[in-house]
Amino acid sequence: MKRLIPFALLSLAGCGGQSTTDSAASSGEIEVTNASVAEVAAQTQAAGAQMRFEPGQWRTTVEVVEAEVPGLPPAMAEEMKRRMLAKSSVSSCMTPEQAAKPNEDLFAGQQGGCRFDRFVMKDGRVDAAMTCKGDGQGNGQAKILMTGSFSKTRFEMENRIEATGPNAQAAMRMRSRVTGERTGNCA
């Protein structure tokens, strides 16, 4: 579960995709359907990457606002919610190299097995749906919906995640908000 939050968050660091038309790519508008994480990352570079953040110090805040895991004993469910529903912030330096050339790890981290069902980026907005298949080692499938807005110095995203166990056990649901802003030059 915690592995799902970072890739949804970091997907903003270099969003792009396989355009449906050449004119859309040249205008910075991107629309993707049924594309791998690697294809989206590669097309980011090819499309001119409408979304580029300014290098510098960035503060990113993740807040899980809803979490539900059916079937857990009540005490365990309450403890899980108490831990997950915390807000956390981290400050990090984005180098010019990182800002200019994001890699596919920023889209799905080490999760693997993920494909964008759709990815649309237009007019400072992002709307995406991604499916991550189970890995056969106890990690089930996940559906992730991401919507938000961005500029060179700020982004806001809402992520909705529904994950099932390896045998299609009850779905865990989570909704989070992720915000980031450039706070200055790197120290």
Side-chain angles (χ1 to χ4, degrees), residues 104-136:
E104 68 184 72
D105 287 347
L106 295 175
F107 293 91
Q110 302 302 314
Q111 184 70 17
C114 298
R115 287 190 72 78
F116 283 101
D117 303 316
R118 77 171 182 278
F119 184 95
V120 179
M121 183 173 63
K122 179 179 178 180
D123 300 327
R125 307 269 321 148
V126 174
D127 178 33
M130 176 183 275
T131 300
C132 298
K133 302 249 184 249
D135 64 5

Side-chain angles (χ1 to χ4, degrees), residues 14-21 24-32 40 43-51 119-123 125 127:
C15 295
Q18 184 175 351
S19 65
T20 55
T21 66
S26 63
S27 70
E29 296 176 13
I30 298 169
E31 187 170 339
V32 173
V40 171
Q43 290 299 317
T44 299
Q45 299 300 318
Q50 173 197 24
M51 181 183 205
F119 184 95
V120 179
M121 183 173 63
K122 179 179 178 180
D123 300 327
R125 307 269 321 148
D127 178 33

Side-chain angles (χ1 to χ4, degrees), residues 2 5-6 9 59-65 83-91 176-180:
K2 289 192 175 214
I5 295 171
L9 155 67
R59 181 178 54 243
T60 303
T61 302
V62 178
E63 178 182 15
V64 177
V65 294
R83 289 182 183 194
M84 289 182 63
L85 295 179
K87 186 186 241 185
S88 64
S89 292
V90 64
S91 182
S176 64
R177 286 190 196 108
V178 182
T179 59

